[in-house]
Amino acid sequence: AKLGAAFGATMPKGSTVTINRDPHRSPRMIKRAVISGLPSAGIHASDLRSMPIPVARYYTRVTGAVGGVHVRLSPFDQRVVDIRFFDGEGRSLSKDVERGIERVFFREDFRRVYLDEIGTIAYAPGVVDTYVNGFLNVVNVEAIRQSRFKIVVDYAYAPTAEVFPQIMTKLGVEVVPLASHVDGDKRSLTHQQFDDEVRELTLITGVLDAHLGVRLDVGGEKIFLVDHHGEYVPETILAAAMATLALRANGGGTIVVPVHMSSIFERIAAEHGGQVVRCKVDPHALANQSTAAGVIMAADGVGNFVFPQVHAAIDGLMATVKLLEFLALQQTSLADVVSGLPAFHVVHREVTCPWEAKGTVMRLLNQQYKDRRADLIDGIKILLGEGEWVLVLPDPDFAKFHVYSEARTENDAQELADRYVRIVEGLQE
């Protein structure tokens, strides 16, 4: 309840905040507590019940709400409940704004309103219809219908199973559903369970000779793809394939990717008359940068995509349908696009580092590589030659660094990453 009051205290009195949750018992309990705190700060609460995150983001924006809250069980740790805040555009809040809410929360500096200013609580009307109608207005419905796609969709027992089938029916797509009933007790998986379910998706897609296999994450934001051969497409390769298709479809344009992604995106963009804009390794930065003029797509290489034509937010449902649209209009397959991509090699390592040593490591790296570093968009990116670079990035939430490297061969990229892991470890001393 205090957290709801803290969030409400950062909003204008009398405004509306949307509240959403996943079906598990723990998020339901916390969501009701948050709802009870909002009216005490003079905020009206609009209860979306249980909806996919992209639907909640879209509804927040089009209804004029000043913000939104989504409460969910962490996908890979059932001991943790995630509370995610949106701004009035449905985008995730920046770290600075989140810290502002935390300050109000920990200081208990809540706004107290008079009795006649207490907010109301009401169920939001027409949430799914609002999203579906807006969704279909920005895709080429006829092109998808004519292609008569058959896809396998793994809904992961999530509320996407109550929204996505309506869209697929209107698009004339034949869907073979997996895990299509909502089950709050199956929201959190171990990494091994997730891998087993993706492997099952590859087998079923191959056996049924479907055009695609799609797994939507429990929030409806990330997508994991299988091509018509039953081969899993790694997320970074999928991002490169989607960028290729989007640039072809638009005759160029701007693609937004984080600074740790491969330089292959610049090569793809140059080939199709487009350009690449780099952003921080952060969902807020990705969505925020996608609102710039000329941006046709944003991707982060881990299954998140933004298509700003409908809303500048990560949306796995839109990413899936835009992929079908691209394939229909260009008369190609995902496997063919992937096979035409140039080879690239990016390696990721993690290095533990005490919180108190992070600043020292960054300062020493800045001094040591000031002549070879690229723009300081996020972390320290060191240019080592044509097609070779290393990015040292401090983790904002944990006591560690991320080290990314790219080189011409896999072995070279591995060696490069290992070398800078040792450098980061040495600078801590």
Side-chain angles (χ1 to χ4, degrees), residues 308-321:
Q309 298 91 336
V310 60
H311 60 153
I314 295 167
D315 188 338
L317 288 70
M318 175 58 68
T320 302
V321 172

Side-chain angles (χ1 to χ4, degrees), residues 336-354:
D336 289 342
V337 177
V338 169
S339 65
L341 294 173
F344 62 97
H345 308 279
V346 176
V347 171
H348 174 220
R349 295 276 191 271
E350 294 182 356
V351 194
T352 58
C353 177

Side-chain angles (χ1 to χ4, degrees), residues 7 53 56-57 60 67-70 84-88 90-91 93:
F7 185 49
I53 297 175
R57 292 183 187 276
T60 299
V69 184
H70 179 77
R84 304 174 69 174
F85 296 101
F86 315 145
D87 63 15
R91 299 193 294 265
L93 300 183

Side-chain angles (χ1 to χ4, degrees), residues 76-90:
F76 290 110
D77 190 345
Q78 60 182 350
R79 301 167 299 177
V80 176
V81 173
D82 297 330
I83 302 176
R84 304 174 69 174
F85 296 101
F86 315 145
D87 63 15
E89 293 297 316

Side-chain angles (χ1 to χ4, degrees), residues 373-385:
R373 69 189 183 207
D375 294 335
L376 298 178
I377 298 172
D378 203 3
I380 297 175
K381 192 168 188 177
I382 304 164
L383 303 180
L384 302 170

